[in-house]
């Protein structure tokens, strides 16, 4: 099998090719922001041409994209309308009592300033089903529905979200509205809350469904055009897209539910980190994935990703109640711009130069100093990137740093450049502490996993400040998200609200509901051409103590749903609650709020390849030696530093800092006093000289 993973970032697009013969090829191109598919196709074609592979030979293409996320963050989605229960069209405006800044009277509330569905495009219609069984109280007024759809068609609304108050109990009214929309306005994109998120909590359900409509038309067109282009250029591969909870979906499924693609970009890096770290003797890592625009951080205790609570899954201030792996993101990347703000403070990020115009040293028109410019000045980056395909202009970096930072602060060039790096590192240190220390994890018990195009440039400094003893650098750090893509499975999540107490559970009802969700998951995977022996069905439940307002996810054993099933679920919940909050309340009844089924279509993992043993002479890998500036006793000090070609390393090689290690997709900085060791799989583990 021949697979290509493609991760589209804000500055670069990463590619990795793998096949059953152990062949691995990594490639990198600049992202084309106006149409990401252009850069993607250029890279895929370049990989095939380089390897002499026919386009039709590629079996699978795995794609991680930021197109859905960027639409939300930049407020550039489709004009979306909404049909809802009469009297409830303002739910997505009112939201909950929580605000980004509770006591500000002048702040802009994202969901109010930039609603996913404008008020003029939201229509209430007569209908009502009621709890607890979803019985119909008021019939659906179909004429009102038709009038609303016709008005939206006249106003050229591109997508319609249908959100009725109790549709999670009985979706019949929403399904009928869908039929009417197809009759009156067949070309519009349709998003039903009973299909997108059939769970209670109307605000989150309405907003999530609205987001699905808001990003649906553009995402759907992008996927369709991508598949069309692939076919026109001779590719017959299956296309899979990464989802926010760690699995990939088929192109068809992603078009129907693009809200699952939100924040999926960083997830590939987390999965790649897990796969890579298993090839070492390290069990706990914190990932530091630094790209051109942002830095993504995830705490992996025992190499297991944690899931965000569904009420904490937000994108750009909007509630998006879909499963997401817990990844923290800040605006800190190679393209992050350094500046002096109106108050005279020296800052770095979150604004980024992106791919266009990019850092000043790229010579594409950028004039603002960035982190990459600082690394160039300090000698940590060479004058050619991407394996020599991108030439760098250090003189432009010097001009930008001195004119914007050095001269205003009365600092020399090295001091100004080191200042940029220090602020950048401090921003990441604070985010790592937020994701670890504030959640009860001691970063000193973890290794720092450096990935992304810029992660290895900063990892040693960040690890030292946090008291971490080791840094792990994978074989292809700059393409790790793409590595994660080709090492994941097809995965779908189906859910239903239950609201049953464990002490008085209706076993027959629970059994029936799980069976229904399992059938949906199984059928979806069969549609994706998964065989029976490749399909794995997992049950989980969202539970809470009676009287609590928030749930926790716990596993539920398979097989017949019996009293034993409930008892084991209760025990799992008590254990999980104590682990998370330090205590459990075994005397309190447990409420089963939602049940879930996760359907997985297992795809064969990438087989790790061992590299050749060391020749015994590390000097064979030296390709250059140059002066590099490091901070020693809080002052810039230039040191003669050897530059190594990573492709010439063998298993067992030892690299003493200071050292610079070059490869096509990244540059690794081994700081003075640190020691890097190459293991059997080419992974470099750097021991940090932590000051006691």
């Amino acid at each position: 099998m021949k697979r290509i993973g493609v991760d589209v970032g804000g500055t670069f697009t990463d590619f990795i090719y793998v096949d059953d013969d152990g062949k691995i090829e990594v490639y990198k191109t600049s992202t084309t922001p106006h149409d990401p598919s252009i850069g993607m196709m250029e890279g895929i074609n370049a990989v095939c041409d380089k390897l002499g592979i026919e386009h039709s030979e590629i079996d699978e293409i795995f794609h991680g994209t930021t197109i859905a996320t960027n639409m939300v963050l930049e407020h550039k989605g489709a004009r979306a309308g909404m049909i809802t229960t009469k009297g409830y069209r303002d739910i997505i405006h009112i939201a909950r009592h929580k605000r980004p800044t509770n006591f500000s009277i002048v702040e802009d509330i994202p969901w109010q300033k930039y609603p996913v569905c404008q008020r003029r495009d939201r229509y209430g219609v007569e209908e009502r089903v009621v709890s607890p069984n979803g019985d119909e109280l008021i019939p659906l007024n179909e004429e009102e529905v038709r009038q609303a759809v016709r008005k939206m068609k006249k106003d050229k609304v591109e997508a319609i979200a249908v959100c009725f108050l109790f549709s999670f109990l009985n979706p019949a009214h929403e399904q009928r509205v869908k039929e009417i929309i197809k009759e009156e306005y067949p070309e519009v994109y349709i998003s039903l809350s009973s299909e997108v998120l059939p769970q209670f909590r109307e605000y989150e359900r309405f907003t999530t469904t609205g987001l699905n409509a808001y990003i649906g038309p553009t995402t759907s067109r992008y996927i369709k055009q991508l598949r069309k282009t692939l076919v026109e250029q001779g590719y017959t591969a299956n296309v899979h897209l990464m989802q926010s909870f760690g699995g990939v979906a088929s192109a068809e499924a992603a078009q129907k539910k693009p809200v699952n693609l939100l924040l999926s970009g960083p997830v590939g890096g987390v999965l790649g980190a897990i796969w890579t770290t298993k090839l070492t003797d390290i069990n706990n890592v914190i990932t530091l994935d630094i790209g051109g625009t942002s830095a993504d951080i995830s705490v992996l205790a025992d190499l297991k990703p944690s899931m965000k609570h569904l009420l904490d899954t937000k994108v750009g201030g909007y509630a998006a109640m879909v499963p997401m792996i817990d990844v923290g993101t800040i605006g800190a990347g190679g393209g992050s711009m350094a500046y002096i703000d109106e108050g005279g403070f020296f800052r770095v990020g979150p604004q980024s130069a992106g791919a266009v115009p990019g850092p000043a040293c790229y010579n594409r028109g950028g004039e603002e100093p960035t982190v990459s410019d600082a690394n160039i000045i300090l000698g940590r980056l060479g004058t050619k990137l991407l394996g020599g395909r991108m030439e760098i202009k250090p003189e432009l970096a010097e001009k930008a740093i001195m004119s914007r930072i050095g001269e205003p602060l009365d600092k020399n060039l090295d001091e100004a450049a080191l200042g940029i790096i220090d602020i950048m590192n401090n921003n990441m240190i604070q985010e790592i502490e937020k994701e670890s220390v504030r959640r009860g994890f001691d970063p000193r018990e973890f290794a720092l996993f450096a990935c992304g195009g810029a992660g290895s440039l900063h990892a040693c400094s960040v690890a030292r400040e946090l008291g971490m003893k080791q840094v792990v650098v994978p074989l292809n750090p700059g393409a790790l998200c793409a590595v994660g893509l080709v090492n994941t499975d097809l995965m779908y999540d189906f859910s239903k609200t239950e609201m049953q107490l464990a002490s008085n559970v209706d076993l027959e009802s629970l059994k029936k509901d799980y069976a229904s969700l399992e059938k949906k998951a199984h059928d979806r995977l069969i549609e994706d051409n998964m065989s029976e022996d490749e399909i794995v069905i997992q049950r989980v439940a969202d539970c809470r103590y009676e009287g609590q307002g928030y749930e926790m996810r716990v596993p539920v054993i398979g097989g017949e749903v019996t009293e034993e099933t409930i008892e084991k679920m209760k025990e799992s919940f008590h254990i999980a609650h104590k682990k998370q909050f330090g205590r459990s309340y075994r005397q309190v009844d447990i409420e089963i709020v939602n049940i879930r089924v996760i359907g997985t279509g297992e795809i064969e993992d990438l087989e790790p390849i061992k590299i050749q043993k060391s020749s015994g002479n590390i000097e064979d890998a030296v390709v250059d030696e140059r002066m590099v500036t490091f901070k020693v006793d809080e002052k810039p000090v230039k040191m003669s530093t050897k530059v190594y070609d990573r492709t010439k390393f063998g298993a067992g090689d030892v690299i003493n800092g200071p050292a610079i290690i070059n490869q096509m997709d990244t540059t690794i900085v081994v700081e003075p006093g640190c020691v890097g060791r190459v293991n059997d799989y080419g992974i470099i583990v750097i021991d940090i000289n932590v000051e006691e």
Side-chain angles (χ1 to χ4, degrees):
M1 180 179 288
K2 295 178 172 63
R3 291 178 273 181
I4 291 181
V6 185
D7 178 61
V8 180
T11 305
F12 291 106
T13 298
D14 303 322
F15 304 82
I16 185 167
Y17 165 88
V18 297
D19 61 28
D20 291 342
D21 296 327
K23 177 68 176 177
I24 299 176
E25 184 68 33
V26 173
Y27 197 73
K28 204 175 186 78
T29 64
S30 292
T31 295
T32 49
H34 63 287
D35 184 354
S37 65
I38 294 175
M40 176 177 173
M41 291 308 305
E42 288 176 355
I44 292 175
N45 290 337
V47 170
C48 289
D49 292 344
K50 185 176 182 179
L51 297 175
I53 296 173
E54 293 294 329
H55 295 182
S56 59
E57 293 182 56
I58 302 299
D59 299 297
E60 306 276 355
I61 294 176
F62 297 85
H63 182 22
T65 177
T66 58
I67 185 170
T69 307
N70 290 344
M71 271 189 284
V72 176
L73 298 179
E74 298 172 9
H75 312 294
K76 293 181 179 178
R79 181 175 178 179
M82 179 178 286
I83 296 175
T84 187
T85 307
K86 184 166 286 187
Y88 290 88
R89 71 170 179 163
D90 288 325
I91 280 179
I92 65 171
H93 178 89
I94 298 168
R96 296 192 178 274
H97 72 280
K98 289 185 178 180
R99 295 156 59 94
T101 309
N102 278 333
F103 300 104
S104 172
I105 61 173
V106 295
E107 72 169 324
D108 291 325
I109 309 299
W111 59 86
Q112 293 180 354
K113 184 175 183 179
Y114 303 103
V116 292
C117 304
Q118 296 284 347
R119 193 172 195 273
R120 62 178 176 271
D121 295 325
R122 303 197 297 262
Y123 297 85
V125 299
E126 283 190 352
E127 74 84 37
R128 181 64 67 89
V129 297
V130 294
S131 61
N133 300 316
D135 299 325
E136 183 180 76
L137 179 65
I138 300 174
L140 175 68
N141 189 323
E142 296 189 7
E143 184 55 34
E144 286 186 351
V145 174
R146 291 187 187 277
Q147 290 176 7
V149 175
R150 289 168 184 167
K151 181 65 168 62
M152 283 190 273
K153 182 177 181 179
K154 181 181 177 182
D155 292 339
K156 297 182 179 180
V157 168
E158 300 172 75
I160 299 176
V162 184
C163 307
F164 289 150
L165 204 57
F166 285 97
S167 61
F168 65 91
L169 294 176
N170 180 356
H173 286 179
E174 285 194 356
Q175 291 294 335
R176 179 55 187 148
V177 171
K178 183 177 182 179
E179 294 171 359
I180 294 172
I181 294 172
K182 287 184 175 180
E183 294 170 10
E184 299 284 346
Y185 195 2
E187 63 269 31
V188 77
Y189 187 91
I190 304 172
S191 178
L192 303 188
S193 75
S194 54
E195 294 177 350
V196 174
L197 186 65
Q199 294 178 205
F200 87 117
R201 290 195 172 101
E202 63 269 14
Y203 166 63
E204 287 80 9
R205 177 161 51 90
F206 282 27
T207 301
T208 304
T209 307
L211 278 171
N212 197 69
Y214 184 68
I215 65 177
T218 301
T219 305
S220 182
R221 285 193 297 269
Y222 170 77
I223 296 172
K224 286 179 181 177
Q225 182 59 43
L226 175 61
R227 296 182 71 197
K228 181 174 180 288
T229 303
L230 285 166
V231 172
E232 289 173 349
Q233 297 191 22
Y235 293 94
T236 58
N238 295 317
V239 178
H240 306 293
L241 288 97
M242 176 62 76
Q243 300 176 99
S244 59
F245 54 88
V248 292
S250 66
E252 294 84 354
Q255 287 174 232
K256 294 176 183 177
K257 201 172 176 181
V259 73
N260 277 335
L261 304 180
L262 292 172
L263 295 183
S264 64
V267 171
V270 173
L271 300 178
I274 293 171
W275 181 83
T276 301
T277 309
K278 287 179 179 178
L279 304 178
T280 71
D281 59 358
I282 296 170
N283 296 319
N284 299 316
V285 295
I286 297 175
T287 65
L288 179 63
D289 184 351
I290 309 175
T293 305
S294 61
D296 303 312
I297 294 155
S298 184
V299 178
L300 302 174
D302 296 323
L303 298 184
K304 294 179 181 178
S306 59
M307 301 294 291
K308 286 188 176 181
H309 190 282
L310 284 177
L311 292 182
D312 294 329
T313 52
K314 293 179 172 59
V315 181
Y318 302 94
M321 203 161 77
V322 293
M324 290 184 185
I325 286 180
D326 198 351
V327 180
T329 300
I330 59 170
S336 294
M337 295 188 291
Y339 62 99
I340 299 171
D341 67 14
E342 295 176 353
F345 290 94
F346 185 4
R347 299 187 183 278
V348 178
Q351 298 88 348
S352 173
V356 179
C361 62
Y362 283 11
N363 195 23
R364 294 176 178 172
E367 297 181 351
E368 300 297 325
T370 67
V371 173
S372 291
D373 292 310
N375 277 313
I376 286 289
I377 293 302
L378 297 173
R380 302 179 185 192
L381 284 175
T383 56
K384 292 183 182 294
L385 300 180
L386 303 185
R389 289 182 287 119
M390 177 183 286
E391 189 168 350
I392 297 301
K393 301 288 186 182
E395 63 272 17
L396 297 179
E398 179 178 345
K399 179 181 177 182
I401 290 174
M402 286 307 297
S403 63
R404 299 293 204 278
I405 304 296
E407 293 171 3
L409 295 178
D410 194 25
K411 300 289 184 182
N412 64 37
L413 183 60
D414 283 346
E415 289 173 337
L418 271 176
I420 293 172
I421 300 301
D422 284 347
I423 294 172
M424 163 83 162
N425 289 346
N426 189 62
N427 291 342
M428 292 183 291
I429 289 166
Q430 288 183 338
E431 185 66 18
I432 291 174
E433 289 176 339
K434 173 185 170 184
E435 296 294 323
S436 59
V437 177
R438 298 182 194 179
R439 298 186 181 190
F441 295 105
D442 186 344
R444 294 173 296 183
E445 298 176 357
F446 289 72
L448 188 63
F449 190 100
C451 53
S456 309
L457 282 164
H458 300 264
C460 285
S461 295
V462 171
R464 181 186 290 109
E465 290 298 321
L466 288 165
M468 303 171 81
K469 303 296 194 299
Q470 291 177 309
V471 168
V472 180
V473 185
L475 198 59
N476 301 111
L480 191 75
C481 287
V483 173
L485 285 168
V486 298
N487 275 292
T488 191
D489 298 318
L490 276 168
M491 193 177 294
Y492 299 102
D493 181 284
F494 297 89
S495 62
K496 185 180 186 300
T497 292
E498 287 291 326
M499 291 298 186
Q500 294 197 60
L501 290 175
S503 61
N504 190 32
V505 67
D506 185 339
L507 290 176
E508 286 302 315
S509 173
L510 197 62
K511 176 182 176 181
K512 178 181 175 182
D513 290 341
Y514 265 126
S516 174
L517 297 180
E518 287 169 354
K519 185 178 186 306
K520 288 181 181 179
H522 179 270
D523 291 349
R524 176 69 259 182
L525 291 165
I526 291 295
E527 287 178 26
D528 291 340
N529 299 315
M530 288 286 114
S531 63
E532 293 290 346
D533 60 349
E534 294 171 327
I535 295 175
V536 176
I537 303 294
Q538 178 189 2
R539 296 173 182 170
V540 294
D542 298 334
C543 300
R544 63 189 182 188
Y545 287 119
E546 186 178 13
Q548 280 187 322
Y550 302 96
E551 308 81 56
M552 294 183 66
R553 177 180 291 198
V554 294
V556 177
I557 60 174
E560 189 76 12
V561 177
T562 63
E563 291 287 351
E564 182 185 3
T565 307
I566 304 302
E567 289 303 315
K568 289 187 176 181
M569 181 207 69
K570 288 164 60 178
E571 183 62 24
S572 296
F573 177 76
H574 290 310
I575 293 171
H577 196 279
K578 186 169 185 177
K579 182 177 180 180
Q580 180 74 22
F581 299 108
R583 62 186 63 189
S584 60
Y585 302 91
R586 293 179 176 270
Q587 73 280 10
V588 180
D589 206 351
I590 294 173
E591 186 174 24
I592 305 169
V593 178
N594 304 308
I595 61 170
R596 295 180 177 278
V597 163
I598 301 170
T600 301
E602 295 183 329
I603 298 174
E604 187 177 353
D605 282 346
L606 175 64
E607 188 68 30
I609 305 297
K610 289 187 176 182
I611 64 172
Q612 291 184 343
K613 293 291 184 182
S614 169
S615 65
N617 186 7
I618 191 68
E619 297 300 314
D620 293 341
V622 176
V623 293
D624 193 12
E625 188 165 353
R626 63 174 180 255
M627 300 303 292
V628 179
T629 303
F630 296 95
K631 179 183 276 191
V632 179
D633 295 329
E634 300 303 315
K635 294 180 181 179
V637 176
K638 290 185 180 294
M639 297 184 179
S640 180
T641 303
K642 292 180 179 179
V643 180
Y644 298 86
D645 180 350
R646 187 173 184 177
T647 62
K648 297 180 179 180
F649 285 158
D653 274 336
V654 178
I655 308 100
N656 292 301
I660 301 293
I661 303 170
N662 281 339
Q663 60 186 97
M664 189 280 296
D665 57 322
T666 195
T667 298
I668 305 165
V669 174
V670 182
E671 294 200 344
C674 299
V675 179
R677 292 179 172 83
V678 183
N679 79 359
D680 290 343
Y681 298 96
I683 301 164
I684 300 176
V685 178
I686 303 173
D687 293 323
I688 306 298
N689 59 334
V690 180
E691 297 177 4
E692 298 297 337

